[in-house]
Amino acid sequence: MERPAWAPQGIDISVPSVSRIYDYYLGGSHNFEVDREAARKAMEFMPGLPKIMKANRAFMRRAVKFALDNGVNQFLDIGSGIPTYGNVHEVAQAADPTARVLYVDHDPVAVAHSQAVLTGVDHAAVVSADLRKPAQILTSREAAGLLDLERPVALLLVAVLHFLEDADDPYGAVAELRDALAPGSLIVLTHASYEGVPVPKEQVGGAVGVYRTIRNPLVMRSQEETARFFDGFEMVEPGLVAMPDWRPDSPADQEDPYAFSGFAGVGRKA
């Protein structure tokens, strides 16, 4: 298998990556055939997966604007993935050039391309770190140089927590991050679920099985289980809802049915 010029040395391009699969769903070009093959297999069960990912991105952009409208101009985006058009720093800095954004991912391709995209961009950086190790993120040189944890921060956990199994203690990781944030901080979150998907659960299970096969288990949590991530935060209206239903820019009933899969919400730390 020929290694593309943009692929960082040292990564195994024969192993699929969830961030590169996500990039493929969004129409990006920084993915390998092994990623595309896994994505196509998952789409055999859920052909609307790209619609779900685009709904995630649209929600993220609305939430970033909400944060800015409420005086929060620092963003900690964990599981940020490979940069695509309309990323957090582009949305935030278009409205507030002083907005600060720290991207976090553990995929070398995502980190390398974030570094390339951020060359020459003020007030934005990327750190290679893992959500399962919050202290690694919070004490990083990049975080220390970019974020003021004495002021409110918007913590973005968009389409990432469902890749943490219960054994990884995702609730503990979110709580540790929450406790490090100043009052007035926000949590912006989406999570996959069997709820809202417009095909039978058994069919969704086929797509879940593809992720399990590539050793990136996709954990589908209920609305109640997802709501637990907001412990210690006050939910912002309209609460924990389908992505198109969270403060939509246009009528939600015009959205593709797949866009209503899973949940999205924003919470504020008192």
Side-chain angles (χ1 to χ4, degrees), residues 130-241:
D130 195 316
L131 172 57
R132 289 167 289 196
K133 300 176 181 178
Q136 183 184 65
I137 299 169
L138 296 167
T139 62
S140 67
R141 173 178 54 83
E142 292 83 356
L146 196 61
L147 302 179
D148 178 3
L149 296 181
E150 298 299 315
R151 298 194 300 112
V153 173
L155 169 63
L156 276 62
L157 298 169
V158 177
V160 62
L161 286 166
H162 46 235
F163 291 113
L164 270 62
E165 298 181 275
D166 289 344
D168 295 318
D169 190 19
Y171 297 105
V174 173
E176 187 173 343
L177 290 163
R178 177 201 65 212
D179 291 347
L181 301 179
S185 292
L186 302 173
I187 181 172
V188 175
L189 183 155
T190 67
H191 201 292
S193 177
Y194 288 111
E195 299 175 44
V197 186
V199 295
K201 181 177 179 180
E202 294 75 20
Q203 188 171 332
V204 181
V208 172
V210 171
Y211 282 90
R212 188 180 303 113
T213 299
I214 65 172
R215 299 182 181 179
N216 283 287
L218 179 59
V219 182
M220 309 293 271
R221 293 188 171 95
S222 67
Q223 186 173 25
E224 181 179 0
E225 290 169 325
T226 303
R228 284 183 53 199
F229 289 114
F230 291 89
D231 286 354
F233 294 92
E234 297 175 354
M235 290 297 300
V236 170
E237 290 293 335
L240 188 61
V241 296

Side-chain angles (χ1 to χ4, degrees), residues 110-133:
V111 173
H113 279 280
S114 295
Q115 290 170 335
V117 167
L118 296 175
T119 299
V121 177
D122 293 332
H123 312 311
V126 60
V127 60
S128 176
D130 195 316
L131 172 57
R132 289 167 289 196
K133 300 176 181 178

Side-chain angles (χ1 to χ4, degrees), residues 91-105:
V91 176
Q93 294 184 354
D96 180 355
T98 69
R100 295 173 176 265
V101 180
L102 179 61
Y103 294 110
V104 181
D105 209 291

Side-chain angles (χ1 to χ4, degrees), residues 55-75:
N56 263 282
R57 300 290 296 184
F59 161 75
M60 177 273 289
R61 290 191 286 267
R62 296 196 304 275
V64 167
K65 292 175 183 176
F66 171 84
L68 292 167
D69 288 344
N70 284 270
V72 179
N73 70 346
Q74 300 187 101
F75 299 86

